[in-house]
Amino acid sequence: MRIVAGSARGRALAGPKATSKHIRPTADRVRETIFNVLGQWLEGQKVLDLYAGTGALGLESVSRGASRAVLVDSDREALSLCRANTDALGFGARVEILSQPVERALETLGRRGDRFELIFADPPYAARVVETVLEGLVRHGVLAPGGTVVIEHDKREAAPETHEGFERVDQRRFGDTLVSLFRIA
């Protein structure tokens, strides 16, 4: 795994152990396509990476100019990888790592008044939480006006056309993975 573009382009990211059952990193080509759809540069945006795993999506965002990224995960190995990758890229001043379950992290961020222009969620496929994630974002008010939500999920989990005020504006398939993009309708 590598950073695809930006200030850290080509830099390697540490990945999970081969025996890891909890971390499924986003493939480089999937990340590249996501950023092609979103736009190559994210100058000044604040990014939230839920179920961060290795932190690849949030760190790719910082490499592409995001002013800040918050990486959220509760798995010990994932948190270790997020810290190691953040440190290796020298992004520590622009990255915050929250060791909390996603719902509690959304509550924390909402209470702090944090708002994000771009939110990634890459939950474990078995969790089937696309709608739950959208509901949590609305409940805690962490999506900035005009912001975008990108959720990776299993192809067998249907992402709704609309939900909780969100409208699905794009969807791409990569093997068993679907990437659904949502905006507030």
Side-chain angles (χ1 to χ4, degrees):
M1 285 190 327
R2 298 192 174 284
I3 295 291
V4 177
S7 64
R9 180 179 185 204
R11 301 273 305 273
L13 294 171
K17 298 174 190 163
T19 58
S20 178
K21 297 176 184 170
H22 304 289
I23 302 172
R24 179 192 31 78
T26 301
D28 291 356
R29 74 179 177 91
V30 174
R31 260 187 295 120
E32 185 170 18
T33 300
I34 289 170
F35 285 97
N36 285 340
V37 171
L38 293 172
Q40 290 295 314
W41 305 105
L42 305 173
E43 291 304 319
Q45 291 191 23
K46 293 179 186 167
V47 176
L48 177 60
D49 187 354
L50 303 172
Y51 308 96
T54 63
L57 290 164
L59 296 172
E60 181 78 38
S61 298
V62 172
S63 179
R64 292 170 183 256
S67 63
R68 178 173 177 241
V70 176
L71 312 180
V72 174
D73 212 303
S74 58
D75 179 80
R76 184 175 293 157
E77 181 184 6
L79 292 165
S80 177
L81 287 168
C82 286
R83 283 186 202 96
N85 286 328
T86 297
D87 292 345
L89 296 173
F91 289 164
R94 294 167 45 199
V95 173
E96 176 183 2
I97 299 169
L98 279 182
S99 173
Q100 295 180 343
V102 165
E103 179 61 30
R104 191 161 39 129
L106 291 174
E107 183 180 332
T108 298
L109 295 166
R111 263 197 327 269
R112 290 188 337 198
D114 285 335
R115 302 294 174 267
F116 300 90
E117 288 83 13
L118 179 58
I119 299 175
F120 294 105
D122 187 7
Y125 285 178
R128 299 200 178 266
V129 294
V130 170
E131 293 183 26
T132 304
V133 167
L134 295 174
E135 290 163 6
L137 298 176
V138 169
R139 183 172 39 261
H140 300 293
V142 297
L143 183 64
T148 302
V149 178
V150 179
I151 303 178
E152 273 187 67
H153 55 98
D154 188 278
K155 69 179 182 184
R156 292 174 292 270
E157 180 181 7
E161 296 275 338
T162 60
H163 186 77
E164 292 288 323
F166 284 96
E167 178 180 4
R168 191 178 74 215
V169 296
D170 199 341
Q171 188 172 69
R172 308 287 169 109
R173 182 172 174 184
F174 303 89
D176 289 340
T177 299
L178 281 176
V179 177
S180 299
L181 281 75
F182 295 90
R183 291 202 175 99
I184 296 291

